[in-house]
PDB file of all heavy atoms in Angstrom:
ATOM      1  N   GLU T1443     -58.816 214.877  60.980  1.00 98.00           N
ATOM      2  CA  GLU T1443     -58.499 213.560  61.535  1.00 98.00           C
ATOM      3  C   GLU T1443     -58.442 212.503  60.437  1.00 98.00           C
ATOM      4  O   GLU T1443     -57.608 211.585  60.479  1.00 98.00           O
ATOM      5  CB  GLU T1443     -59.526 213.189  62.596  1.00 98.00           C
ATOM      6  CG  GLU T1443     -59.410 214.021  63.870  1.00 98.00           C
ATOM      7  CD  GLU T1443     -60.600 213.847  64.796  1.00 98.00           C
ATOM      8  OE1 GLU T1443     -61.714 213.507  64.318  1.00 98.00           O
ATOM      9  OE2 GLU T1443     -60.421 214.053  66.014  1.00 98.00           O
ATOM     10  N   LEU T1444     -59.323 212.624  59.451  1.00 98.00           N
ATOM     11  CA  LEU T1444     -59.291 211.692  58.320  1.00 98.00           C
ATOM     12  C   LEU T1444     -57.985 211.826  57.552  1.00 98.00           C
ATOM     13  O   LEU T1444     -57.387 210.825  57.142  1.00 98.00           O
ATOM     14  CB  LEU T1444     -60.467 211.954  57.379  1.00 98.00           C
ATOM     15  CG  LEU T1444     -61.794 211.289  57.705  1.00 98.00           C
ATOM     16  CD1 LEU T1444     -62.833 211.678  56.664  1.00 98.00           C
ATOM     17  CD2 LEU T1444     -61.648 209.772  57.747  1.00 98.00           C
ATOM     18  N   THR T1445     -57.565 213.044  57.339  1.00 98.00           N
ATOM     19  CA  THR T1445     -56.288 213.269  56.652  1.00 98.00           C
ATOM     20  C   THR T1445     -55.162 212.586  57.401  1.00 98.00           C
ATOM     21  O   THR T1445     -54.292 211.932  56.805  1.00 98.00           O
ATOM     22  CB  THR T1445     -56.005 214.775  56.521  1.00 98.00           C
ATOM     23  OG1 THR T1445     -56.978 215.353  55.638  1.00 98.00           O
ATOM     24  CG2 THR T1445     -54.614 215.026  55.972  1.00 98.00           C
ATOM     25  N   GLN T1446     -55.167 212.704  58.724  1.00 98.00           N
ATOM     26  CA  GLN T1446     -54.129 212.067  59.524  1.00 98.00           C
ATOM     27  C   GLN T1446     -54.179 210.547  59.396  1.00 98.00           C
ATOM     28  O   GLN T1446     -53.139 209.877  59.313  1.00 98.00           O
ATOM     29  CB  GLN T1446     -54.274 212.472  60.995  1.00 98.00           C
ATOM     30  CG  GLN T1446     -53.179 211.918  61.903  1.00 98.00           C
ATOM     31  CD  GLN T1446     -51.791 212.326  61.451  1.00 98.00           C
ATOM     32  OE1 GLN T1446     -51.579 213.448  61.006  1.00 98.00           O
ATOM     33  NE2 GLN T1446     -50.830 211.432  61.558  1.00 98.00           N
ATOM     34  N   MET T1447     -55.373 209.976  59.359  1.00 98.00           N
ATOM     35  CA  MET T1447     -55.513 208.527  59.204  1.00 98.00           C
ATOM     36  C   MET T1447     -54.982 208.070  57.842  1.00 98.00           C
ATOM     37  O   MET T1447     -54.317 207.031  57.728  1.00 98.00           O
ATOM     38  CB  MET T1447     -56.975 208.116  59.354  1.00 98.00           C
ATOM     39  CG  MET T1447     -57.526 208.201  60.772  1.00 98.00           C
ATOM     40  SD  MET T1447     -56.774 207.015  61.929  1.00 98.00           S
ATOM     41  CE  MET T1447     -55.605 208.084  62.759  1.00 98.00           C
ATOM     42  N   ASN T1448     -55.288 208.840  56.807  1.00 98.00           N
ATOM     43  CA  ASN T1448     -54.790 208.486  55.480  1.00 98.00           C
ATOM     44  C   ASN T1448     -53.270 208.563  55.421  1.00 98.00           C
ATOM     45  O   ASN T1448     -52.607 207.685  54.855  1.00 98.00           O
ATOM     46  CB  ASN T1448     -55.421 209.391  54.421  1.00 98.00           C
ATOM     47  CG  ASN T1448     -56.837 208.971  54.065  1.00 98.00           C
ATOM     48  OD1 ASN T1448     -57.048 207.914  53.478  1.00 98.00           O
ATOM     49  ND2 ASN T1448     -57.815 209.794  54.410  1.00 98.00           N
ATOM     50  N   LEU T1449     -52.711 209.601  56.027  1.00 98.00           N
ATOM     51  CA  LEU T1449     -51.255 209.720  56.086  1.00 98.00           C
ATOM     52  C   LEU T1449     -50.643 208.564  56.871  1.00 98.00           C
ATOM     53  O   LEU T1449     -49.638 207.960  56.462  1.00 98.00           O
ATOM     54  CB  LEU T1449     -50.867 211.046  56.730  1.00 98.00           C
ATOM     55  CG  LEU T1449     -51.160 212.323  55.939  1.00 98.00           C
ATOM     56  CD1 LEU T1449     -50.919 213.556  56.819  1.00 98.00           C
ATOM     57  CD2 LEU T1449     -50.289 212.396  54.691  1.00 98.00           C
ATOM     58  N   GLN T1450     -51.250 208.243  57.984  1.00 98.00           N
ATOM     59  CA  GLN T1450     -50.718 207.190  58.853  1.00 98.00           C
ATOM     60  C   GLN T1450     -50.765 205.826  58.172  1.00 98.00           C
ATOM     61  O   GLN T1450     -49.882 204.989  58.367  1.00 98.00           O
ATOM     62  CB  GLN T1450     -51.518 207.160  60.164  1.00 98.00           C
ATOM     63  CG  GLN T1450     -50.892 206.312  61.250  1.00 98.00           C
ATOM     64  CD  GLN T1450     -51.625 206.494  62.572  1.00 98.00           C
ATOM     65  OE1 GLN T1450     -52.312 207.491  62.800  1.00 98.00           O
ATOM     66  NE2 GLN T1450     -51.469 205.526  63.449  1.00 98.00           N
ATOM     67  N   SER T1451     -51.798 205.612  57.371  1.00 98.00           N
ATOM     68  CA  SER T1451     -51.915 204.333  56.667  1.00 98.00           C
ATOM     69  C   SER T1451     -50.748 204.121  55.710  1.00 98.00           C
ATOM     70  O   SER T1451     -50.250 202.995  55.560  1.00 98.00           O
ATOM     71  CB  SER T1451     -53.240 204.270  55.902  1.00 98.00           C
ATOM     72  OG  SER T1451     -53.223 205.087  54.740  1.00 98.00           O
ATOM     73  N   ILE T1452     -50.308 205.187  55.074  1.00 98.00           N
ATOM     74  CA  ILE T1452     -49.195 205.070  54.132  1.00 98.00           C
ATOM     75  C   ILE T1452     -47.873 204.869  54.870  1.00 98.00           C
ATOM     76  O   ILE T1452     -47.006 204.097  54.425  1.00 98.00           O
ATOM     77  CB  ILE T1452     -49.125 206.306  53.223  1.00 98.00           C
ATOM     78  CG1 ILE T1452     -50.443 206.468  52.459  1.00 98.00           C
ATOM     79  CG2 ILE T1452     -47.951 206.191  52.252  1.00 98.00           C
ATOM     80  CD1 ILE T1452     -50.853 205.267  51.627  1.00 98.00           C
ATOM     81  N   VAL T1453     -47.708 205.526  56.002  1.00 98.00           N
ATOM     82  CA  VAL T1453     -46.504 205.322  56.811  1.00 98.00           C
ATOM     83  C   VAL T1453     -46.379 203.856  57.211  1.00 98.00           C
ATOM     84  O   VAL T1453     -45.283 203.260  57.164  1.00 98.00           O
ATOM     85  CB  VAL T1453     -46.525 206.224  58.056  1.00 98.00           C
ATOM     86  CG1 VAL T1453     -45.386 205.866  59.012  1.00 98.00           C
ATOM     87  CG2 VAL T1453     -46.420 207.695  57.658  1.00 98.00           C
ATOM     88  N   LEU T1454     -47.487 203.243  57.594  1.00 98.00           N
ATOM     89  CA  LEU T1454     -47.490 201.820  57.952  1.00 98.00           C
ATOM     90  C   LEU T1454     -46.976 200.974  56.794  1.00 98.00           C
ATOM     91  O   LEU T1454     -46.119 200.092  56.967  1.00 98.00           O
ATOM     92  CB  LEU T1454     -48.900 201.391  58.340  1.00 98.00           C
ATOM     93  CG  LEU T1454     -49.125 199.884  58.541  1.00 98.00           C
ATOM     94  CD1 LEU T1454     -48.395 199.408  59.793  1.00 98.00           C
ATOM     95  CD2 LEU T1454     -50.617 199.565  58.655  1.00 98.00           C
ATOM     96  N   LEU T1455     -47.488 201.238  55.598  1.00 98.00           N
ATOM     97  CA  LEU T1455     -47.090 200.446  54.431  1.00 98.00           C
ATOM     98  C   LEU T1455     -45.651 200.738  54.023  1.00 98.00           C
ATOM     99  O   LEU T1455     -44.938 199.843  53.552  1.00 98.00           O
ATOM    100  CB  LEU T1455     -48.043 200.724  53.271  1.00 98.00           C
ATOM    101  CG  LEU T1455     -49.516 200.385  53.515  1.00 98.00           C
ATOM    102  CD1 LEU T1455     -50.326 200.597  52.247  1.00 98.00           C
ATOM    103  CD2 LEU T1455     -49.681 198.961  54.029  1.00 98.00           C
ATOM    104  N   GLN T1456     -45.209 201.961  54.206  1.00 98.00           N
ATOM    105  CA  GLN T1456     -43.817 202.298  53.890  1.00 98.00           C
ATOM    106  C   GLN T1456     -42.857 201.544  54.802  1.00 98.00           C
ATOM    107  O   GLN T1456     -41.780 201.110  54.364  1.00 98.00           O
ATOM    108  CB  GLN T1456     -43.599 203.802  53.999  1.00 98.00           C
ATOM    109  CG  GLN T1456     -44.257 204.587  52.867  1.00 98.00           C
ATOM    110  CD  GLN T1456     -44.257 206.087  53.096  1.00 98.00           C
ATOM    111  OE1 GLN T1456     -44.129 206.554  54.231  1.00 98.00           O
ATOM    112  NE2 GLN T1456     -44.430 206.855  52.037  1.00 98.00           N
ATOM    113  N   ASP T1457     -43.228 201.371  56.059  1.00 98.00           N
ATOM    114  CA  ASP T1457     -42.402 200.595  56.986  1.00 98.00           C
ATOM    115  C   ASP T1457     -42.293 199.140  56.528  1.00 98.00           C
ATOM    116  O   ASP T1457     -41.213 198.533  56.590  1.00 98.00           O
ATOM    117  CB  ASP T1457     -42.990 200.653  58.397  1.00 98.00           C
ATOM    118  CG  ASP T1457     -42.790 202.001  59.063  1.00 98.00           C
ATOM    119  OD1 ASP T1457     -41.951 202.788  58.577  1.00 98.00           O
ATOM    120  OD2 ASP T1457     -43.488 202.272  60.065  1.00 98.00           O
ATOM    121  N   ILE T1458     -43.416 198.591  56.065  1.00 98.00           N
ATOM    122  CA  ILE T1458     -43.409 197.209  55.587  1.00 98.00           C
ATOM    123  C   ILE T1458     -42.578 197.095  54.318  1.00 98.00           C
ATOM    124  O   ILE T1458     -41.820 196.137  54.136  1.00 98.00           O
ATOM    125  CB  ILE T1458     -44.853 196.721  55.355  1.00 98.00           C
ATOM    126  CG1 ILE T1458     -45.613 196.688  56.688  1.00 98.00           C
ATOM    127  CG2 ILE T1458     -44.868 195.335  54.697  1.00 98.00           C
ATOM    128  CD1 ILE T1458     -47.095 196.411  56.565  1.00 98.00           C
ATOM    129  N   ARG T1459     -42.700 198.074  53.428  1.00 97.00           N
ATOM    130  CA  ARG T1459     -41.880 198.056  52.207  1.00 97.00           C
ATOM    131  C   ARG T1459     -40.393 198.064  52.562  1.00 97.00           C
ATOM    132  O   ARG T1459     -39.609 197.329  51.956  1.00 97.00           O
ATOM    133  CB  ARG T1459     -42.213 199.247  51.317  1.00 97.00           C
ATOM    134  CG  ARG T1459     -41.239 199.350  50.129  1.00 97.00           C
ATOM    135  CD  ARG T1459     -41.768 200.170  48.992  1.00 97.00           C
ATOM    136  NE  ARG T1459     -41.951 201.568  49.333  1.00 97.00           N
ATOM    137  CZ  ARG T1459     -42.469 202.464  48.482  1.00 97.00           C
ATOM    138  NH1 ARG T1459     -42.874 202.090  47.271  1.00 97.00           N
ATOM    139  NH2 ARG T1459     -42.620 203.719  48.849  1.00 97.00           N
ATOM    140  N   HIS T1460     -40.011 198.886  53.512  1.00 97.00           N
ATOM    141  CA  HIS T1460     -38.605 198.952  53.917  1.00 97.00           C
ATOM    142  C   HIS T1460     -38.105 197.589  54.385  1.00 97.00           C
ATOM    143  O   HIS T1460     -36.937 197.220  54.152  1.00 97.00           O
ATOM    144  CB  HIS T1460     -38.433 199.988  55.033  1.00 97.00           C
ATOM    145  CG  HIS T1460     -37.030 200.135  55.502  1.00 97.00           C
ATOM    146  ND1 HIS T1460     -36.047 200.778  54.771  1.00 97.00           N
ATOM    147  CD2 HIS T1460     -36.422 199.697  56.649  1.00 97.00           C
ATOM    148  CE1 HIS T1460     -34.910 200.743  55.437  1.00 97.00           C
ATOM    149  NE2 HIS T1460     -35.101 200.094  56.577  1.00 97.00           N
ATOM    150  N   GLU T1461     -38.982 196.830  55.006  1.00 97.00           N
ATOM    151  CA  GLU T1461     -38.605 195.512  55.527  1.00 97.00           C
ATOM    152  C   GLU T1461     -38.492 194.462  54.434  1.00 97.00           C
ATOM    153  O   GLU T1461     -37.625 193.573  54.502  1.00 97.00           O
ATOM    154  CB  GLU T1461     -39.646 195.072  56.566  1.00 97.00           C
ATOM    155  CG  GLU T1461     -39.378 193.712  57.188  1.00 97.00           C
ATOM    156  CD  GLU T1461     -40.421 193.333  58.227  1.00 97.00           C
ATOM    157  OE1 GLU T1461     -41.236 194.197  58.601  1.00 97.00           O
ATOM    158  OE2 GLU T1461     -40.418 192.163  58.657  1.00 97.00           O
ATOM    159  N   TYR T1462     -39.332 194.540  53.405  1.00 97.00           N
ATOM    160  CA  TYR T1462     -39.435 193.450  52.432  1.00 97.00           C
ATOM    161  C   TYR T1462     -38.824 193.738  51.067  1.00 97.00           C
ATOM    162  O   TYR T1462     -38.436 192.804  50.360  1.00 97.00           O
ATOM    163  CB  TYR T1462     -40.908 193.083  52.221  1.00 97.00           C
ATOM    164  CG  TYR T1462     -41.482 192.235  53.322  1.00 97.00           C
ATOM    165  CD1 TYR T1462     -42.091 192.822  54.431  1.00 97.00           C
ATOM    166  CD2 TYR T1462     -41.434 190.838  53.268  1.00 97.00           C
ATOM    167  CE1 TYR T1462     -42.629 192.047  55.447  1.00 97.00           C
ATOM    168  CE2 TYR T1462     -41.960 190.063  54.279  1.00 97.00           C
ATOM    169  CZ  TYR T1462     -42.565 190.673  55.376  1.00 97.00           C
ATOM    170  OH  TYR T1462     -43.091 189.902  56.374  1.00 97.00           O
ATOM    171  N   GLN T1463     -38.767 194.978  50.645  1.00 94.00           N
ATOM    172  CA  GLN T1463     -38.416 195.248  49.249  1.00 94.00           C
ATOM    173  C   GLN T1463     -36.986 194.837  48.921  1.00 94.00           C
ATOM    174  O   GLN T1463     -36.072 195.033  49.700  1.00 94.00           O
ATOM    175  CB  GLN T1463     -38.611 196.722  48.928  1.00 94.00           C
ATOM    176  CG  GLN T1463     -38.321 197.066  47.465  1.00 94.00           C
ATOM    177  CD  GLN T1463     -38.933 198.385  47.062  1.00 94.00           C
ATOM    178  OE1 GLN T1463     -39.988 198.411  46.459  1.00 94.00           O
ATOM    179  NE2 GLN T1463     -38.275 199.485  47.405  1.00 94.00           N
ATOM    180  N   SER T1464     -36.833 194.252  47.724  1.00 91.00           N
ATOM    181  CA  SER T1464     -35.526 193.879  47.204  1.00 91.00           C
ATOM    182  C   SER T1464     -35.592 193.949  45.686  1.00 91.00           C
ATOM    183  O   SER T1464     -36.637 194.262  45.109  1.00 91.00           O
ATOM    184  CB  SER T1464     -35.156 192.459  47.650  1.00 91.00           C
ATOM    185  OG  SER T1464     -36.021 191.514  47.047  1.00 91.00           O
ATOM    186  N   GLN T1465     -34.487 193.642  45.023  1.00 85.00           N
ATOM    187  CA  GLN T1465     -34.478 193.669  43.564  1.00 85.00           C
ATOM    188  C   GLN T1465     -35.438 192.648  42.973  1.00 85.00           C
ATOM    189  O   GLN T1465     -35.977 192.846  41.890  1.00 85.00           O
ATOM    190  CB  GLN T1465     -33.056 193.411  43.047  1.00 85.00           C
ATOM    191  CG  GLN T1465     -32.100 194.574  43.282  1.00 85.00           C
ATOM    192  CD  GLN T1465     -30.755 194.353  42.635  1.00 85.00           C
ATOM    193  OE1 GLN T1465     -30.385 193.217  42.334  1.00 85.00           O
ATOM    194  NE2 GLN T1465     -30.025 195.427  42.420  1.00 85.00           N
ATOM    195  N   THR T1466     -35.649 191.565  43.678  1.00 86.00           N
ATOM    196  CA  THR T1466     -36.551 190.526  43.179  1.00 86.00           C
ATOM    197  C   THR T1466     -37.960 190.634  43.760  1.00 86.00           C
ATOM    198  O   THR T1466     -38.843 189.884  43.356  1.00 86.00           O
ATOM    199  CB  THR T1466     -35.988 189.128  43.500  1.00 86.00           C
ATOM    200  OG1 THR T1466     -35.790 189.014  44.919  1.00 86.00           O
ATOM    201  CG2 THR T1466     -34.676 188.898  42.773  1.00 86.00           C
ATOM    202  N   LEU T1467     -38.160 191.553  44.701  1.00 91.00           N
ATOM    203  CA  LEU T1467     -39.466 191.718  45.312  1.00 91.00           C
ATOM    204  C   LEU T1467     -39.817 193.209  45.357  1.00 91.00           C
ATOM    205  O   LEU T1467     -39.677 193.854  46.390  1.00 91.00           O
ATOM    206  CB  LEU T1467     -39.506 191.114  46.719  1.00 91.00           C
ATOM    207  CG  LEU T1467     -40.868 190.739  47.310  1.00 91.00           C
ATOM    208  CD1 LEU T1467     -40.696 189.876  48.540  1.00 91.00           C
ATOM    209  CD2 LEU T1467     -41.714 191.963  47.669  1.00 91.00           C
ATOM    210  N   PRO T1468     -40.272 193.742  44.233  1.00 93.00           N
ATOM    211  CA  PRO T1468     -40.697 195.147  44.244  1.00 93.00           C
ATOM    212  C   PRO T1468     -41.975 195.323  45.044  1.00 93.00           C
ATOM    213  O   PRO T1468     -42.878 194.479  44.999  1.00 93.00           O
ATOM    214  CB  PRO T1468     -40.926 195.457  42.759  1.00 93.00           C
ATOM    215  CG  PRO T1468     -41.210 194.132  42.135  1.00 93.00           C
ATOM    216  CD  PRO T1468     -40.405 193.131  42.910  1.00 93.00           C
ATOM    217  N   VAL T1469     -42.052 196.405  45.798  1.00 95.00           N
ATOM    218  CA  VAL T1469     -43.230 196.708  46.609  1.00 95.00           C
ATOM    219  C   VAL T1469     -43.752 198.078  46.200  1.00 95.00           C
ATOM    220  O   VAL T1469     -43.047 199.084  46.299  1.00 95.00           O
ATOM    221  CB  VAL T1469     -42.898 196.700  48.115  1.00 95.00           C
ATOM    222  CG1 VAL T1469     -44.142 197.057  48.932  1.00 95.00           C
ATOM    223  CG2 VAL T1469     -42.355 195.335  48.539  1.00 95.00           C
ATOM    224  N   ILE T1470     -44.998 198.104  45.749  1.00 96.00           N
ATOM    225  CA  ILE T1470     -45.666 199.342  45.340  1.00 96.00           C
ATOM    226  C   ILE T1470     -46.727 199.679  46.375  1.00 96.00           C
ATOM    227  O   ILE T1470     -47.451 198.801  46.842  1.00 96.00           O
ATOM    228  CB  ILE T1470     -46.316 199.176  43.953  1.00 96.00           C
ATOM    229  CG1 ILE T1470     -45.248 198.887  42.906  1.00 96.00           C
ATOM    230  CG2 ILE T1470     -47.122 200.416  43.574  1.00 96.00           C
ATOM    231  CD1 ILE T1470     -45.811 198.451  41.567  1.00 96.00           C
ATOM    232  N   ILE T1471     -46.815 200.944  46.740  1.00 97.00           N
ATOM    233  CA  ILE T1471     -47.797 201.374  47.737  1.00 97.00           C
ATOM    234  C   ILE T1471     -48.901 202.159  47.060  1.00 97.00           C
ATOM    235  O   ILE T1471     -48.660 203.129  46.348  1.00 97.00           O
ATOM    236  CB  ILE T1471     -47.127 202.226  48.833  1.00 97.00           C
ATOM    237  CG1 ILE T1471     -46.126 201.366  49.612  1.00 97.00           C
ATOM    238  CG2 ILE T1471     -48.182 202.814  49.779  1.00 97.00           C
ATOM    239  CD1 ILE T1471     -45.341 202.139  50.650  1.00 97.00           C
ATOM    240  N   SER T1472     -50.129 201.709  47.291  1.00 98.00           N
ATOM    241  CA  SER T1472     -51.304 202.341  46.690  1.00 98.00           C
ATOM    242  C   SER T1472     -52.212 202.898  47.775  1.00 98.00           C
ATOM    243  O   SER T1472     -52.493 202.230  48.773  1.00 98.00           O
ATOM    244  CB  SER T1472     -52.075 201.323  45.845  1.00 98.00           C
ATOM    245  OG  SER T1472     -53.305 201.854  45.404  1.00 98.00           O
ATOM    246  N   GLY T1473     -52.677 204.118  47.569  1.00 98.00           N
ATOM    247  CA  GLY T1473     -53.675 204.707  48.459  1.00 98.00           C
ATOM    248  C   GLY T1473     -55.059 204.321  47.980  1.00 98.00           C
ATOM    249  O   GLY T1473     -55.450 204.648  46.854  1.00 98.00           O
ATOM    250  N   CYS T1474     -55.805 203.628  48.808  1.00 98.00           N
ATOM    251  CA  CYS T1474     -57.098 203.081  48.399  1.00 98.00           C
ATOM    252  C   CYS T1474     -58.222 204.085  48.645  1.00 98.00           C
ATOM    253  O   CYS T1474     -58.384 204.605  49.750  1.00 98.00           O
ATOM    254  CB  CYS T1474     -57.383 201.792  49.163  1.00 98.00           C
ATOM    255  SG  CYS T1474     -58.947 201.003  48.700  1.00 98.00           S
ATOM    256  N   LEU T1475     -59.005 204.322  47.599  1.00 98.00           N
ATOM    257  CA  LEU T1475     -60.212 205.142  47.681  1.00 98.00           C
ATOM    258  C   LEU T1475     -61.426 204.238  47.526  1.00 98.00           C
ATOM    259  O   LEU T1475     -61.420 203.316  46.714  1.00 98.00           O
ATOM    260  CB  LEU T1475     -60.247 206.184  46.564  1.00 98.00           C
ATOM    261  CG  LEU T1475     -59.068 207.130  46.388  1.00 98.00           C
ATOM    262  CD1 LEU T1475     -59.254 207.949  45.120  1.00 98.00           C
ATOM    263  CD2 LEU T1475     -58.952 208.048  47.580  1.00 98.00           C
ATOM    264  N   GLY T1476     -62.475 204.531  48.282  1.00 98.00           N
ATOM    265  CA  GLY T1476     -63.732 203.824  48.105  1.00 98.00           C
ATOM    266  C   GLY T1476     -64.800 204.768  47.599  1.00 98.00           C
ATOM    267  O   GLY T1476     -64.599 205.987  47.535  1.00 98.00           O
ATOM    268  N   PRO T1477     -65.946 204.245  47.219  1.00 97.00           N
ATOM    269  CA  PRO T1477     -67.025 205.102  46.720  1.00 97.00           C
ATOM    270  C   PRO T1477     -67.622 205.950  47.837  1.00 97.00           C
ATOM    271  O   PRO T1477     -67.562 205.582  49.011  1.00 97.00           O
ATOM    272  CB  PRO T1477     -68.049 204.093  46.193  1.00 97.00           C
ATOM    273  CG  PRO T1477     -67.822 202.872  47.029  1.00 97.00           C
ATOM    274  CD  PRO T1477     -66.338 202.825  47.286  1.00 97.00           C
ATOM    275  N   ARG T1478     -68.193 207.067  47.452  1.00 97.00           N
ATOM    276  CA  ARG T1478     -68.848 207.922  48.436  1.00 97.00           C
ATOM    277  C   ARG T1478     -70.084 207.239  49.016  1.00 97.00           C
ATOM    278  O   ARG T1478     -70.351 207.331  50.214  1.00 97.00           O
ATOM    279  CB  ARG T1478     -69.252 209.248  47.790  1.00 97.00           C
ATOM    280  CG  ARG T1478     -69.944 210.199  48.769  1.00 97.00           C
ATOM    281  CD  ARG T1478     -70.267 211.529  48.126  1.00 97.00           C
ATOM    282  NE  ARG T1478     -70.777 212.479  49.117  1.00 97.00           N
ATOM    283  CZ  ARG T1478     -71.039 213.759  48.853  1.00 97.00           C
ATOM    284  NH1 ARG T1478     -70.851 214.245  47.629  1.00 97.00           N
ATOM    285  NH2 ARG T1478     -71.480 214.556  49.818  1.00 97.00           N
ATOM    286  N   ASP T1479     -70.808 206.543  48.164  1.00 92.00           N
ATOM    287  CA  ASP T1479     -72.053 205.902  48.587  1.00 92.00           C
ATOM    288  C   ASP T1479     -71.811 204.405  48.758  1.00 92.00           C
ATOM    289  O   ASP T1479     -70.677 203.940  48.757  1.00 92.00           O
ATOM    290  CB  ASP T1479     -73.152 206.185  47.555  1.00 92.00           C
ATOM    291  CG  ASP T1479     -74.550 206.203  48.156  1.00 92.00           C
ATOM    292  OD1 ASP T1479     -74.774 205.508  49.160  1.00 92.00           O
ATOM    293  OD2 ASP T1479     -75.416 206.912  47.624  1.00 92.00           O
ATOM    294  N   ASP T1480     -72.875 203.649  48.866  1.00 83.00           N
ATOM    295  CA  ASP T1480     -72.796 202.207  49.010  1.00 83.00           C
ATOM    296  C   ASP T1480     -72.130 201.583  47.779  1.00 83.00           C
ATOM    297  O   ASP T1480     -72.420 201.967  46.651  1.00 83.00           O
ATOM    298  CB  ASP T1480     -74.208 201.629  49.188  1.00 83.00           C
ATOM    299  CG  ASP T1480     -74.186 200.149  49.508  1.00 83.00           C
ATOM    300  OD1 ASP T1480     -74.134 199.785  50.696  1.00 83.00           O
ATOM    301  OD2 ASP T1480     -74.218 199.348  48.552  1.00 83.00           O
ATOM    302  N   GLY T1481     -71.257 200.616  48.008  1.00 75.00           N
ATOM    303  CA  GLY T1481     -70.530 199.996  46.916  1.00 75.00           C
ATOM    304  C   GLY T1481     -71.343 199.017  46.102  1.00 75.00           C
ATOM    305  O   GLY T1481     -70.882 198.552  45.054  1.00 75.00           O
ATOM    306  N   TYR T1482     -72.522 198.666  46.571  1.00 76.00           N
ATOM    307  CA  TYR T1482     -73.391 197.756  45.830  1.00 76.00           C
ATOM    308  C   TYR T1482     -74.597 198.471  45.234  1.00 76.00           C
ATOM    309  O   TYR T1482     -74.979 198.233  44.091  1.00 76.00           O
ATOM    310  CB  TYR T1482     -73.892 196.628  46.741  1.00 76.00           C
ATOM    311  CG  TYR T1482     -72.853 195.635  47.184  1.00 76.00           C
ATOM    312  CD1 TYR T1482     -73.103 194.771  48.243  1.00 76.00           C
ATOM    313  CD2 TYR T1482     -71.598 195.551  46.558  1.00 76.00           C
ATOM    314  CE1 TYR T1482     -72.161 193.838  48.655  1.00 76.00           C
ATOM    315  CE2 TYR T1482     -70.658 194.630  46.961  1.00 76.00           C
ATOM    316  CZ  TYR T1482     -70.947 193.775  48.015  1.00 76.00           C
ATOM    317  OH  TYR T1482     -70.013 192.852  48.426  1.00 76.00           O
ATOM    318  N   HIS T1483     -75.209 199.336  46.041  1.00 77.00           N
ATOM    319  CA  HIS T1483     -76.449 199.982  45.615  1.00 77.00           C
ATOM    320  C   HIS T1483     -76.387 201.481  45.910  1.00 77.00           C
ATOM    321  O   HIS T1483     -76.948 201.954  46.906  1.00 77.00           O
ATOM    322  CB  HIS T1483     -77.655 199.364  46.338  1.00 77.00           C
ATOM    323  CG  HIS T1483     -77.734 197.872  46.211  1.00 77.00           C
ATOM    324  ND1 HIS T1483     -78.037 197.254  45.024  1.00 77.00           N
ATOM    325  CD2 HIS T1483     -77.513 196.887  47.122  1.00 77.00           C
ATOM    326  CE1 HIS T1483     -78.017 195.940  45.212  1.00 77.00           C
ATOM    327  NE2 HIS T1483     -77.705 195.693  46.466  1.00 77.00           N
ATOM    328  N   PRO T1484     -75.725 202.253  45.067  1.00 81.00           N
ATOM    329  CA  PRO T1484     -75.629 203.698  45.314  1.00 81.00           C
ATOM    330  C   PRO T1484     -76.994 204.360  45.235  1.00 81.00           C
ATOM    331  O   PRO T1484     -77.752 204.133  44.294  1.00 81.00           O
ATOM    332  CB  PRO T1484     -74.712 204.179  44.193  1.00 81.00           C
ATOM    333  CG  PRO T1484     -74.883 203.171  43.102  1.00 81.00           C
ATOM    334  CD  PRO T1484     -75.076 201.859  43.808  1.00 81.00           C
TER     335      PRO T1484
END
């Protein structure tokens, strides 16, 4: 299910890129990873 959520998140951003991207407005899509533990106090 997590894999599906990660895939779906990119599809969402790809749809937005299709709407906005132009020669003067490049759109790059990044897959965001977070830390395994707490981001402040691992």
Side-chain angles (χ1 to χ4, degrees):
E1443 290 168 334
L1444 275 180
T1445 293
Q1446 183 57 39
M1447 288 293 100
N1448 281 292
L1449 291 171
Q1450 192 172 338
S1451 74
I1452 302 303
V1453 171
L1454 171 69
L1455 300 185
Q1456 288 170 339
D1457 287 344
I1458 296 172
R1459 172 160 65 183
H1460 181 74
E1461 180 179 350
Y1462 282 90
Q1463 183 161 261
S1464 67
Q1465 288 186 340
T1466 57
L1467 202 167
V1469 179
I1470 298 169
I1471 295 176
S1472 172
C1474 182
L1475 306 173
R1478 180 177 187 174
D1479 209 331
D1480 187 90
Y1482 291 165
H1483 307 290

